[in-house]
């Protein structure tokens, strides 16, 4: 999708501080970090706007993205714990309609958040 922010990052049209890549995904630092480590993990292809659109046919893609998120956490020394978040829709805080995960860590996380 030519007007999608994350598709433009994948294409190299918009710069991003990439920290890791896999066959199916790219991980880069969030421009508005909510934790000391805040990395966004996206699929290279625009397969869905959010997790609400996923089905069994996306199992391999999700496996790759979660493995990439775990590698990011290891690479950033988050042995004590980290959070993987995906937001669905504007009421949940989703601002880019392209499936993505947030890897957050580097400080104790409260539950419930906020």
């Amino acid at each position: 999708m030519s007007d999608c922010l994350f598709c433009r990052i994948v294409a190299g049209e918009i710069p991003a501080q990439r920290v890791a890549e896999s066959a199916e995904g790219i991980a880069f630092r969030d421009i508005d970090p909510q934790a000391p480590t805040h990395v966004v993990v996206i699929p290279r292809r625009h397969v869905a706007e959010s997790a609400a659109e996923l089905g069994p046919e996306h199992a391999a893609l999700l496996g790759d993205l979660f493995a990439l998120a775990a590698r990011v956490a290891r690479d950033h020394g988050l042995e004590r714990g980290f959070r993987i978040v995906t937001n669905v829709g504007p009421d949940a805080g989703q601002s880019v309609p392209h499936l993505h995960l947030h890897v957050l860590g580097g400080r104790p996380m409260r539950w419930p958040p906020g």
Side-chain angles (χ1 to χ4, degrees):
M1 297 183 69
S2 62
D3 60 336
C4 172
L5 174 67
F6 288 168
C7 289
R8 293 182 67 201
I9 288 173
V10 171
E13 297 171 12
I14 295 176
Q17 190 177 359
R18 295 183 185 201
V19 297
E21 297 188 28
S22 67
E24 297 286 340
I26 296 171
F28 55 90
R29 298 199 187 284
D30 194 289
I31 62 168
D32 183 26
Q34 303 301 304
T37 298
H38 187 167
V39 174
V40 180
V41 177
I42 64 171
R44 293 177 185 273
R45 297 175 293 118
H46 192 112
V47 297
E49 289 191 2
S50 73
E53 298 176 3
L54 299 176
E57 67 275 16
H58 299 104
L61 170 66
L62 288 173
D64 183 89
L65 295 179
F66 272 85
L68 181 56
R71 180 164 43 110
V72 165
R74 281 190 307 275
D75 291 351
H76 285 80
L78 302 179
E79 294 86 9
R80 293 187 42 88
F82 59 97
R83 186 173 284 167
I84 297 175
V85 176
T86 185
N87 301 318
V88 178
D91 283 357
Q94 183 179 7
S95 60
V96 180
H98 181 119
L99 174 67
H100 60 284
L101 308 173
H102 297 267
V103 178
L104 300 143
R107 66 170 169 80
M109 301 282 178
R110 294 189 329 221
W111 190 258

